Amino acid sequence: MATVIPPVMQDATSPKGPTAMVFMNMGGPSTTDEVGDFLSRLFADADLIPLGRLQSYLGPLISRRRTPKIQKQYAAIGGGSPIRKWSEYQSSEMCKILDRVSPETAPHRPYVAFRYADPLTEDMYAQLLADGFGNGKGGRAVAFTQYPQYSCSTTGSSLNELWKWRTRLEGRDPNRQGKITWSVIDRWPVHAGLVEAFARNIEKQLELYPKEARDNVVLLFSAHSLPMSVVNRGDTYPAEVAATVYAVMQRLGFSNPYRLCWQSQVGPSAWLGAQTSDTVQEYVKKGQTDLILVPIAFTSDHIETLFELDQEVIHEAGHPGVKRAESLNDSPVFIEALADIAAAHLRSGESCSRQMALRCQGCKSDRCLEQKKFFVGQSNLLSVL
């Protein structure tokens, strides 16, 4: 039976609550029947896959052609992506911790907003309104990106979508009373808890190798790639992913040789490399067959880990020494980290990081500019909550 969430109101135990905690991510189809719609939304997003002036024509064409192939891939991992299950679990468990460590902003309500799959951003926003936020009652919501490293193509795209639906459903005037007040956790690439969760999963995998060979296992950190057109515009993602990798290696005491590589390239244009699949093949050819793949930019399992890494890259390597570190999924260390990040943000009184307010050097997007103005401007409203 669905839980009925009471209207937003103040009470003696939580003068600033309730607080909506919105997990933002790309999402994934929960069933193979949802793959077509998922791909249509994905290839229509110029923030993620820029196709130029022909986006409206090429996007649907590419998505239709790729749907049968991608449906088979989702069928091979159990019939759908587990990302919704993990996102809902992580957000719910985090909110339980927040209720304990941040009682002044309790109760904390978990929500999930996916960019390309259910629950979509617009549906999440409608649910917020139905649950008593906004509509003249005000209330606070935190958009918590589940991409630890910021990119205009991922977190930026999700925030553009959130700002769009905020404008459509609550109007353009940011100062009108009774609207939801938003703040954003827009990046957290070197948080100690995130680093610790990654490091423990790597250490667990290293234990599977003979002790005498363990120090020579190569750690291959793999992150979703970006088109070079996005990188050259000044996107901070490559630097922030590298920062995460370095922090994890520091925690491990630089115990092993390591490299950073990039996966999931789509289309013929230039993307950030070296590609993960090529990297593994080249090392195996050179006789370096003890490799651990570490999905360093993902916070849970989905198609990129369960199919691309496990069933393509590792299978094609053809050697038992090529393994993958577990994803963060239900890691208690990771969930504690999420709560720590959120609690610090709630205490800070900031609407977003200073870094988010700075546009990329080559950014020409008016939508990006307006979105940033909106979230930066929310700091004035947070001060009176």
Side-chain angles (χ1 to χ4, degrees):
M1 187 173 180
T3 301
V4 177
I5 299 179
V8 177
M9 61 185 65
Q10 307 300 333
D11 61 61
T13 58
S14 54
K16 296 182 180 181
T19 306
M21 304 299 299
V22 181
F23 271 31
M24 300 189 308
N25 210 328
M26 177 183 293
S30 296
T31 68
T32 55
D33 289 339
E34 297 174 13
V35 169
D37 288 341
F38 169 75
L39 292 178
S40 294
R41 297 184 189 106
L42 188 146
F43 283 102
D45 184 8
D47 291 327
L48 180 70
I49 303 176
L51 299 173
R53 291 178 295 175
L54 296 178
Q55 186 101 30
S56 61
Y57 170 75
L58 291 175
L61 179 65
I62 296 170
S63 64
R64 284 196 300 271
R65 288 184 174 179
R66 289 181 63 85
T67 292
K69 175 184 176 182
I70 304 302
Q71 283 178 322
K72 291 178 181 178
Q73 293 180 1
Y74 277 103
I77 64 169
S81 173
I83 192 171
R84 179 172 184 172
K85 175 189 76 173
W86 288 124
S87 296
E88 291 177 343
Y89 174 81
Q90 291 166 347
S91 61
S92 177
E93 292 301 303
M94 179 198 72
C95 283
K96 292 176 184 177
I97 298 172
L98 283 177
D99 284 349
R100 185 177 73 249
V101 301
S102 182
E104 66 275 12
T105 53
H108 301 86
R109 314 284 195 189
Y111 295 85
V112 173
F114 286 153
R115 185 65 180 85
Y116 312 113
D118 293 333
L120 294 167
T121 305
E122 58 263 42
D123 297 325
M124 176 281 301
Y125 214 116
Q127 189 62 53
L128 276 179
L129 298 175
D131 289 346
F133 292 87
N135 283 330
K137 303 186 184 81
R140 179 175 184 184
V142 177
F144 192 168
T145 181
Q146 293 306 293
Y147 306 101
Q149 306 90 4
Y150 183 93
S151 172
C152 299
S153 297
T154 53
T155 299
S157 177
S158 289
L159 290 175
N160 285 341
E161 191 74 356
L162 178 59
W163 171 73
K164 180 181 79 175
W165 285 103
R166 153 63 186 243
T167 301
R168 290 185 180 181
L169 296 176
E170 292 201 272
R172 282 192 168 273
D173 182 2
N175 299 312
R176 196 178 78 197
Q177 292 187 344
K179 291 185 177 183
I180 299 170
T181 299
W182 284 92
S183 63
V184 181
I185 302 172
D186 51 86
R187 70 198 74 209
W188 34 287
V190 293
H191 184 271
L194 174 71
V195 170
E196 182 66 23
F198 278 131
R200 291 194 187 186
N201 284 355
I202 293 168
E203 289 172 334
K204 181 179 178 181
Q205 204 66 21
L206 281 168
E207 291 175 0
L208 300 178
Y209 294 86
K211 190 173 182 180
E212 63 274 12
R214 206 167 289 164
D215 290 348
N216 294 318
V217 176
V218 174
L219 306 180
L220 294 180
F221 294 91
S222 185
H224 200 295
S225 188
L226 278 182
M228 286 306 298
S229 60
V230 176
V231 175
N232 291 335
R233 193 173 62 210
D235 198 289
T236 62
Y237 176 74
E240 294 190 14
V241 173
T244 307
V245 170
Y246 195 83
V248 171
M249 290 310 304
Q250 276 190 315
R251 158 60 179 78
L252 293 171
F254 296 96
S255 59
N256 294 74
Y258 68 98
R259 284 294 185 273
L260 170 57
C261 45
W262 308 87
Q263 66 181 89
S264 310
Q265 175 176 327
V266 178
S269 63
W271 284 57
L272 184 62
Q275 286 291 303
T276 301
S277 56
D278 296 340
T279 299
V280 171
Q281 290 292 336
E282 290 301 322
Y283 276 128
V284 170
K285 286 179 186 177
K286 290 177 172 66
Q288 177 63 55
T289 55
D290 288 345
L291 308 166
I292 295 178
L293 291 161
V294 183
I296 197 66
F298 306 126
T299 56
S300 68
D301 275 321
H302 52 304
I303 193 77
E304 281 87 352
T305 58
L306 298 174
F307 187 84
E308 185 177 353
L309 294 183
D310 291 354
Q311 299 190 34
E312 288 189 327
V313 174
I314 293 177
H315 176 75
E316 290 169 7
H319 197 282
V322 182
K323 307 180 190 298
R324 176 173 72 85
E326 291 181 8
S327 297
L328 300 177
N329 293 342
D330 59 351
S331 161
V333 174
F334 175 62
I335 292 169
E336 287 280 354
L338 293 173
D340 185 66
I341 293 164
H345 174 77
L346 290 167
R347 291 192 302 269
S348 73
E350 297 177 350
S351 61
C352 61
S353 72
R354 292 178 63 85
Q355 185 76 330
M356 186 181 135
L358 181 65
R359 299 174 73 192
C360 294
Q361 301 94 304
C363 181
K364 301 291 194 298
S365 170
D366 292 335
R367 180 175 57 172
C368 175
L369 174 62
E370 293 304 315
Q371 170 254 112
K372 287 180 181 293
K373 284 182 179 178
F374 169 76
F375 287 111
V376 170
Q378 291 286 283
S379 61
N380 297 325
L381 302 177
L382 288 172
S383 63
V384 299
L385 284 181

